[in-house]
Amino acid sequence: MTPQQLRAFCLEFNASAEEFPFGPETSVFKVLGKMFALSALDGRPLTVNLKCDPDEAVRLREKYDAVVPGWHMNKRHWNTVTVSGVPDRVLRELVEDSYDLVVAGLPKADRLRLDRA
């Protein structure tokens, strides 16, 4: 997945937005103000920080060398994924799972509005 494809995929989700609170080089993708993905899209290699269920985070780190504890993040709940190190399908699932975890923490009215009850 290219940086442009990663950006486009993150922005496909309901109410998602790209912001730059840490400077112009770091894209932060949020849903209703809550972060679900963070990436320096011009970084080499391309990596993305994604929220993850703690048990699943450990399993993914054991399965893929390209998945490590989240850099500058809560290492229990976030993974840093080297994009080229996982299959495209897996990366898409990880991004969607991250989005869903963040949405699950939103108030019920917001979840319903996003059609993700």
Side-chain angles (χ1 to χ4, degrees), residues 6 25-29 37-42 46-49 83:
L6 178 60
E25 66 283 344
T26 306
S27 294
V28 177
F29 298 95
L38 177 140
S39 180
L41 293 172
D42 61 353
L46 177 60
T47 62
V48 60
N49 285 5
V83 171

Side-chain angles (χ1 to χ4, degrees), residues 30-101:
K30 296 182 175 183
V31 55
L32 299 181
K34 302 290 185 180
M35 180 171 54
F36 69 93
L38 177 140
S39 180
L41 293 172
D42 61 353
R44 298 294 177 259
L46 177 60
T47 62
V48 60
N49 285 5
L50 299 168
K51 191 162 186 148
C52 194
D53 170 79
D55 293 330
E56 180 69 4
V58 171
R59 188 189 69 73
L60 288 164
R61 293 170 195 166
E62 290 171 353
K63 184 172 182 176
Y64 298 104
D65 290 336
V67 180
V68 298
W71 186 67
H72 285 292
M73 307 296 280
N74 179 325
K75 311 244 182 283
R76 184 164 189 261
H77 295 277
W78 289 83
N79 279 334
T80 297
V81 180
T82 300
V83 171
S84 62
V86 296
D88 233 35
R89 173 190 54 78
V90 171
L91 181 62
R92 289 177 179 277
E93 289 171 4
L94 295 176
V95 173
E96 184 170 7
D97 289 348
S98 182
Y99 175 88
D100 287 342
L101 278 169

